[in-house]
Amino acid sequence: MASLNIDSPRIQNIIDGKCLDPVQAASIKYIPVTSPHTGKVIAQCPVSSPEDVNLAVEAAKKAFVAWSARTVKDRVQCLIRFHNLLHAHIDELAELIILEHGKNKAEAIASIAKGAETVEYAISLPQLIQGRFLEVSRGVTCQDTRVPLGVVASIVPFNFPIMVPMWTLPIAIATGNTLILKPSEKVPLTMNRVAILLKEAGIPDGVVNIINGTADAVNAIVDHPDVKAVTFVGTSHVANLVSERCHRLGKRVLALGGAKNHLIAAPDCNIETTSTDVVNSFTGCAASVLLIIGSHEELLDRIVAKASSLQPGSQSGEIGPVIDQQSLDKIISYIEASIKVGAKILVDGRSWTQNRTEGFWIGPTVILHNNKEDKALHDEIFGPVLSIYQCSSKEEAIEIENNNPYGNAACIYTTTGATAEWFTSRFSAGMCGVNIGVPVPREPFSFGGINRSKFGNFVDITGDGGMEFFTWRRKVTTRWGQENLDPKLRM
Ligand code: NAD
């Protein structure tokens, strides 16, 4: 771990609209936040304690009273202003994402724009959330309306410093809840800035509270009796822990985990568009396995050529660093293990690591496996690594995809509808694509996988799933017949 530079700025929690040091600031440990480009310390992230979580929950509970009493039309006015501020500050926010995460400029901007789309969905909630009303028998009506849960929590990973928080925050608060958000300790700067924009947009103090920290803060949030529901996005291991903890407490939980997204190239795929899409997908850490039906040497050559031509950097089209030394070591260990078992390294990203004196750099790496049991084909590596395996048939390809323990996304590249249909109806993945390497639904569709990519007892995240997750339905059955009137008032 990088040593702590005490001159680097200390991040604060944001509780009840105020920037606060943790309660035990004098005695707590701060975690160094490092620039992935240089490895240098750029900030210090506090490790909040249960006392800090208590303060945040108290603030959120107090704010809930007035916030939930406002109409949804009124609440989304703040989100309209917030949406405008996100766009007005898009360059500044992108710089923060580049600084602390390492995305290139185009990816950083695209991730903010995608986050802004979920804000747009939340802004449209007055059109969507009105509930139902019906006369179910003569004189008897049933009505259901959506009611906010109270204080809810969102725990997010490092890989999308704004986009993933926006999967939950706008819908959670537009539906009338107040929120505790815990950013990743690896990238706390961006959401710290966003919290100031939320305040500028007129979102009242206490409606969104930011708690920084690690597992202890997460556990304190989950365990707090006034936190009514928890969303989580991160590795499958932790998603499972959080989900189980919530289940033991009888709490509503939606926990998205890791992924091993499979791409399948049919013999009739368009070589040019498929190779571009595959390279974009794996270098952005979306897909990590490509199953080629047949040998398809031409497709392999195009992928190798395109991946080899990429350059390190933070400008659009360049490939940024990975988040930290631990991630770099893990990626390299999988490349070395693949070599040991006889896989061929078609593009070796370790040259970037060797050529750089600082930061956490590894270039696109393409591994051709000759054994489908190789670990790199199965484990989530979470780096710019593509594992390729050539299958003898479409049946073998679907069997490999179906047997992977994750179930986030999968895609078939083909130029025929019948092949597309054959695969999309057999994929074991929550999000299926045809000729699109990151098959991620956009609003109003919800997002989410199956198997070890999603835990919990509830719906998908964003869109309609978000509205469902963050509300309960109040059902009112009414009989207003004459017989219920005071006899003097009967007509
Ligand atoms: P992570 O699981 O290490 O951390 C996620 C959050 O959990 C962080 O806020 C962290 O502080 C907290 N945390 C870490 N350990 C914990 C513990 N033991 N108990 C409670 N909380 C804990 O994930 P990460 O490395 O930040 O993010 C990368 C992972 O997220 C990858 O596996 C990636 O696939 C996954 N991810 C999934 C999706 C999806 O849509 N399914 C989207 C983005 C990222």
Side-chain angles (χ1 to χ4, degrees), residues 336-347:
E336 287 170 352
S338 299
I339 296 170
K340 261 198 198 137
V341 293
K344 254 197 227 159
I345 309 297
L346 303 181
V347 183

Side-chain angles (χ1 to χ4, degrees), residues 305-344:
K306 286 178 184 176
S308 312
S309 70
L310 292 166
Q311 294 301 317
S314 53
Q315 291 311 307
S316 302
E318 294 175 334
I319 303 293
V322 296
I323 190 73
D324 56 16
Q325 188 65 47
Q326 199 187 353
S327 168
L328 185 58
D329 292 345
K330 179 176 172 186
I331 296 165
I332 291 174
S333 76
Y334 274 96
I335 301 171
E336 287 170 352
S338 299
I339 296 170
K340 261 198 198 137
V341 293
K344 254 197 227 159

Side-chain angles (χ1 to χ4, degrees), residues 156-159 167 182 185 215 218 232-235 238 257-258 380 447:
V156 293
F158 78 84
N159 63 321
W167 285 355
K182 201 210 72 72
E185 62 277 25
V218 172
F232 174 91
V233 182
T235 51
V238 183
E380 185 181 42
F447 179 107

Side-chain angles (χ1 to χ4, degrees), residues 80-90 93 197 200-201:
I80 293 171
R81 292 191 290 272
F82 173 59
H83 182 265
N84 292 340
L85 285 168
L86 267 184
H87 280 289
H89 290 266
I90 200 160
L93 294 169
L197 297 181
E200 250 178 86

Side-chain angles (χ1 to χ4, degrees), residues 344-388:
K344 254 197 227 159
I345 309 297
L346 303 181
V347 183
D348 192 346
R350 292 175 300 171
S351 58
W352 290 18
T353 319
Q354 285 140 17
N355 294 340
R356 294 255 167 173
T357 51
E358 53 178 23
F360 314 117
W361 295 86
I362 179 129
T365 299
V366 180
I367 309 174
L368 181 62
H369 297 268
N370 53 32
N371 184 342
K372 56 186 165 193
E373 302 310 320
D374 288 0
K375 264 173 84 61
L377 270 167
H378 298 278
D379 299 352
E380 185 181 42
I381 302 173
F382 216 58
V385 179
L386 181 69
S387 283
I388 302 184

